[in-house]
Amino acid sequence: MDYVSALLPPVVMAAFFIGLVVTIVKSQGGPNKAKEDAAVDAALARAEAARQPGGSTAS
């Protein structure tokens, strides 16, 4: 029975990891994709705008 107690934690962790990956893959796209893409684009634009003034004064 020692082999069962030795193998149980990795098997349980693997099952949870597979479930996590499946959940992430299933949640990609769908009706919220455009909203998520817009949020990322806005964050990138803010980061770019904040970075440019510092870069232009250093030149």
Side-chain angles (χ1 to χ4, degrees):
M1 289 306 279
D2 287 338
Y3 63 91
V4 173
S5 63
L7 290 176
L8 188 62
V11 170
V12 170
M13 288 175 59
F16 280 120
F17 182 72
I18 290 169
L20 176 67
V21 170
V22 168
T23 302
I24 290 171
V25 168
K26 282 186 177 182
S27 69
Q28 298 299 310
N32 291 329
K33 183 169 178 31
K35 193 182 339 178
E36 292 169 357
D37 288 347
V40 169
D41 289 341
L44 289 175
R46 280 192 304 263
E48 183 68 26
R51 189 175 64 138
Q52 277 186 335
S56 64
T57 58
S59 297

